[in-house]
Amino acid sequence: MKKKKAGSAVIKKRDPRKDWDLYLFLLLPMIYIIVFKYLPMGGLVVAFKNYKVRQGIWGSDWVGIDQFVRFFESYMFKDIMVNTFVLSFYSILVSFPIPVIFALTINSVQNKRFKKVTQTIVNMPHFISTVVLVGVLMMIFHNRQGIYGNIVHMITGEYPADLFASPEAFRHFYVWSAVWQNFGWDSIIYTAALSSVDPSYHEAAQMDGASRFKRVIHVDLPTIIPTIVTMLILKMGHVLTLGFEKIFLMQNPLNISASQVVSTYVYEMGIAGDGAGNFSYATAIGMFNNVIQFILVVIVNKISKKVSETSLW
Amino acid sequence: MKTSTKIKNKQDRWFYLFCYAVVTILTLLVLYPVIYIVSASFSNSDLVAQGKVWLWPVKPTLQAYEIILKRPQIWNGYKNTIIYTVAGTLLNVAITLLCAYPMARKNLRGRGAIMFIFSFTMMFSGGMIPNYILVRDLGIMNTRWAVILPGAMSVYNMIVCRTFIENNIPDEMLEAAQIDGCSNTQFFLRMVLPLSKAIIAVLTLWYGVAHWNSYFNAFLYLRDQDLYPLQIFLKEILIQSEQLGGEDIVDADNVSTIYVTLKYCIIVVSSAPLFCVYPFVQKHFQKGVMVGSVKG
């Protein structure tokens, strides 16, 4: 994060001819970024066309904003936007505070070995692949062969209904499996910030008779507030970029009413099965999402600049 | 006075107890599924399906492993994943360093503008379909390039790397080297690279894990089974419940449940390499997070 410095020193730039080799270094990264990042941005023109593979991007007919209008008027529009927002905000609401609380808790643990071992364990799931995570979820919560099914069977004598057929359960699965996978990893940044707390504050508070819990609230927490704000900005900035990969794997025809979000719909319209002729339509949907996302990043950044002087650029 | 500190201590004791309890419970919640998966993969499949396995393997058997390890798809997937991981990571680290070093040079003319060109891509992108059209128009669809090239550099990782170089290689060092007639390239090769070992380790691990675990590019751009990485096979078997086939499965007397343990087994087989190295390298991962948090 860049902290805005009032009147930061002006650095004298060098004669670019002396740095010709540095520009040469940048050549390859530049080519990469132009070809694989900026060309696709240019490719967004297909959203305003009726793209036909044979005619190519430039040969296809212009249709203006027809593709966007088609999406807004489609009966899926409302559901998709609601799903995208609900899933995004549910996700942030749950997965943001838990790492903070965990960091404060583990920071109060004094046994160093215990701390180290537990941290190693809780960070581990971060490295599990999305495919494996969803696979494990589906097996453990299988209504007959999984732990879940067998526990319910043991208690009630009957096997429960299939949770993966339930749109309601989909949201909880999506959010809580992410918490399981990432709460430890996400807390690293806070534990790092907490390790910089000046012990003399704690000593002073102790002298005044503050309990350990009070010191967590009044000494530890304020220290990590800047980190919390920064992380929140980052999260908010990406609120609508729901991971396609995981949702796509968890999606099935029975939970589609809760699991169809913008990115999966783009895939379905543009690439999967019968949608193969719908490149333009799918691009328009994706672009609509990206533009909203972009505006959101800019707004969040503006606000945070005003409020906390912490900003992303 | 004395009683009041005693009360405080008592309060504190409850608080500490609470902290230990919370951390212990969360750790067990993370650990339990992992242990269960490994145990189930070594157990008799009928008993796993009936819920007789809770923590340790019951009627231990290697049946699932014998079946899985005999499948050529698995070995082929392993081979492809290793190719993508090694080649992809090498390319990633090289390009990231090439980009990060000039960007760490504060006196480089045009630095701000170039940085903007890179960081803008973190905020806005063409999206799935334009990328798909691009890969197709480049003619790399259904080749290994389609898996490796689109993610050749992560701008976020580049910024982390740049920050590391800025913070660890003082300007004075460059000035001294330049007085001695050292060129930028020489300085990069002889000073920056050796002093950046820590960040190179971090980048290698981050990129490596990402390659090992990714399925998305392969899923979108590959049609040819021979090119599939392991994760695609995992997806087919775990998520789509595709059948592996083969006489050893059909002939097994637990043929109706064998897929349960096969699934657990394939998870263990595919994730084992990562988890064998994880305890030794996790320090580096965490270091990377902290470098990144300083700025950027």
Side-chain angles (χ1 to χ4, degrees):
Chain A
M1 276 359 77
K2 229 181 250 174
K3 287 251 160 121
K4 241 201 155 160
K5 273 182 234 145
S8 64
V10 180
I11 296 153
K12 212 176 155 229
K13 301 283 177 179
R14 254 160 63 102
D15 181 356
R17 273 170 298 181
K18 277 192 197 155
D19 286 330
W20 62 272
D21 45 357
L22 291 185
Y23 294 105
L24 203 64
F25 279 20
L26 284 170
L27 193 64
L28 217 54
M30 216 46 160
I31 292 175
Y32 162 71
I33 216 92
I34 288 170
V35 172
F36 284 97
K37 301 287 171 182
Y38 282 94
L39 276 188
M41 281 185 217
L44 284 173
V45 293
V46 302
F48 303 96
K49 294 193 157 217
N50 191 6
Y51 179 73
K52 296 260 161 53
V53 176
R54 264 203 221 139
Q55 292 162 340
I57 292 178
W58 295 111
S60 303
D61 301 327
W62 289 97
V63 295
I65 57 164
D66 283 8
Q67 306 288 4
F68 293 89
V69 174
R70 188 177 146 205
F71 177 51
F72 300 148
E73 285 174 351
S74 116
Y75 72 102
M76 293 293 293
F77 177 71
K78 209 188 108 207
D79 285 353
I80 290 173
M81 292 322 284
V82 167
N83 285 342
T84 308
F85 274 93
V86 168
L87 214 51
S88 296
F89 284 99
Y90 182 18
S91 189
I92 285 200
L93 219 62
V94 174
S95 65
F96 190 75
I98 290 178
V100 178
I101 297 167
F102 180 71
L104 290 170
T105 316
I106 201 167
N107 189 57
S108 308
V109 165
Q110 274 154 338
N111 186 327
K112 283 230 171 83
R113 256 191 84 118
F114 178 79
K115 217 171 176 174
K116 225 176 153 183
V117 171
T118 48
Q119 265 174 332
T120 306
I121 293 171
V122 295
N123 294 348
M124 185 173 57
H126 180 75
F127 299 100
I128 293 176
S129 77
T130 318
V131 177
V132 168
L133 179 76
V134 176
V136 169
L137 202 65
M138 287 170 74
M139 286 190 291
I140 286 183
F141 286 93
H142 194 282
N143 63 337
R144 279 173 186 276
Q145 294 160 342
I147 301 177
Y148 162 74
N150 280 308
I151 288 179
V152 175
H153 181 75
M154 226 164 56
I155 297 168
T156 65
E158 272 171 62
Y159 286 110
D162 185 3
L163 283 178
F164 294 94
S166 144
E168 257 313 296
F170 167 81
R171 286 185 181 139
H172 303 306
F173 271 136
Y174 177 81
V175 170
W176 289 97
S177 63
V179 170
W180 182 82
Q181 185 171 30
N182 290 321
F183 83 90
W185 182 257
D186 290 345
S187 72
I188 293 177
I189 198 154
Y190 303 116
T191 31
L194 280 170
S195 64
S196 69
V197 174
D198 188 342
S200 63
Y201 287 139
H202 273 288
E203 282 158 22
Q206 234 167 342
M207 295 279 233
D208 293 343
S211 70
R212 177 68 225 202
F213 177 67
K214 281 227 164 105
R215 281 185 281 137
V216 168
I217 302 295
H218 297 291
V219 179
D220 289 343
L221 188 60
T223 331
I224 59 169
I225 291 272
T227 317
I228 295 177
V229 171
T230 314
M231 296 312 284
L232 194 61
I233 299 170
L234 275 176
K235 279 256 160 127
M236 290 305 286
H238 288 276
V239 71
L240 289 181
T241 34
L242 278 172
F244 168 86
E245 306 196 3
K246 191 165 150 200
I247 299 176
F248 178 70
L249 293 174
M250 293 174 67
Q251 201 171 55
N252 63 46
L254 297 167
N255 65 20
I256 196 97
S257 64
S259 65
Q260 190 74 291
V261 296
V262 174
S263 56
T264 54
Y265 192 58
V266 169
Y267 172 79
E268 196 181 306
M269 286 295 114
I271 296 172
D274 57 339
N278 268 326
F279 274 154
S280 285
Y281 182 46
T283 308
I285 300 166
M287 186 175 167
F288 169 69
N289 193 58
N290 284 359
V291 169
I292 295 186
Q293 176 63 50
F294 181 71
I295 295 169
L296 222 61
V297 178
V298 175
I299 293 175
V300 166
N301 204 50
K302 271 248 163 69
I303 295 173
S304 80
K305 227 178 206 170
K306 265 211 180 118
V307 178
S308 67
E309 291 194 343
T310 319
S311 76
L312 303 183
W313 62 79
Chain B
M1 187 65 200
K2 214 179 173 188
T3 43
S4 94
T5 37
K6 223 178 181 179
I7 289 166
K8 283 274 143 61
N9 282 341
K10 215 174 178 185
Q11 270 183 355
D12 279 2
R13 205 170 315 141
W14 280 110
F15 179 69
Y16 283 126
L17 199 67
F18 170 79
C19 289
Y20 275 98
V22 168
V23 173
T24 309
I25 290 169
L26 287 176
T27 307
L28 290 179
L29 274 178
V30 168
L31 200 56
Y32 177 67
V34 178
I35 294 178
Y36 179 82
I37 291 162
V38 176
S39 295
S41 75
F42 284 107
S43 295
N44 178 292
S45 63
D46 286 335
L47 298 175
V48 176
Q50 287 160 22
K52 297 274 159 51
V53 176
W54 291 106
L55 189 63
W56 303 120
V58 182
K59 275 206 198 170
T61 164
L62 287 174
Q63 187 195 21
Y65 286 86
E66 278 164 13
I67 293 175
I68 287 289
L69 294 178
K70 257 190 238 152
R71 288 297 179 279
Q73 302 107 295
I74 302 300
W75 292 107
N76 195 37
Y78 241 105
K79 185 192 86 189
N80 286 328
T81 293
I82 290 171
I83 291 174
Y84 297 135
T85 304
V86 172
T89 306
L90 280 177
L91 181 76
N92 290 149
V93 173
I95 292 200
T96 306
L97 284 167
L98 278 180
C99 190
Y101 175 59
M103 290 292 94
R105 286 279 297 269
K106 291 182 195 87
N107 60 3
L108 184 78
R109 192 160 293 218
R111 176 183 185 254
I114 298 170
M115 199 57 211
F116 177 79
I117 293 176
F118 283 114
S119 43
F120 183 73
T121 64
M122 292 206 293
M123 293 181 287
F124 193 76
S125 70
M128 193 189 300
I129 307 293
N131 281 329
Y132 186 85
I133 296 177
L134 174 77
V135 167
R136 206 195 49 201
D137 289 355
L138 286 174
I140 54 173
M141 195 64 105
N142 203 17
T143 65
R144 292 193 199 279
W145 296 112
V147 179
I148 295 172
L149 286 183
M153 183 179 85
S154 139
V155 175
Y156 177 81
N157 287 358
M158 187 273 283
I159 294 175
V160 171
C161 182
R162 183 203 66 176
T163 311
F164 179 90
I165 296 176
E166 275 176 358
N167 292 343
N168 287 276
I169 295 164
D171 294 341
E172 292 77 25
M173 197 187 267
L174 175 68
E175 279 160 26
Q178 276 170 343
I179 290 169
D180 292 343
C182 181
S183 75
N184 285 321
T185 314
Q186 279 172 325
F187 187 73
F188 176 69
L189 293 175
R190 300 215 182 131
M191 304 300 290
V192 177
L193 285 188
L195 287 172
S196 304
K197 274 187 200 133
I199 194 70
I200 293 174
V202 170
L203 289 174
T204 309
L205 291 170
W206 276 1
Y207 281 126
V209 170
H211 280 293
W212 190 275
N213 283 339
S214 81
Y215 82 91
F216 187 56
N217 281 349
F219 167 71
L220 273 189
Y221 304 136
L222 298 181
R223 295 286 163 270
D224 187 351
Q225 291 235 352
D226 289 341
L227 298 175
Y228 279 1
L230 205 50
Q231 296 294 330
I232 299 280
F233 289 115
L234 278 177
K235 177 176 163 295
E236 286 177 350
I237 294 165
L238 293 181
I239 316 282
Q240 283 139 268
S241 287
E242 248 162 58
Q243 309 286 300
L244 278 166
E247 280 169 17
D248 45 359
I249 293 181
V250 179
D251 291 345
D253 45 6
N254 50 353
V255 61
S256 58
T257 56
I258 184 73
Y259 274 95
V260 180
T261 44
L262 283 182
K263 284 178 177 181
Y264 287 115
C265 170
I266 198 171
I267 288 175
V268 174
V269 168
S270 69
S271 312
L274 278 189
F275 287 92
C276 289
V277 289
Y278 168 73
F280 304 103
V281 297
Q282 59 132 349
K283 220 173 47 202
H284 290 287
F285 282 108
Q286 298 187 13
K287 218 187 279 165
V289 173
M290 287 167 212
V291 173
S293 69
V294 179
K295 217 180 174 203

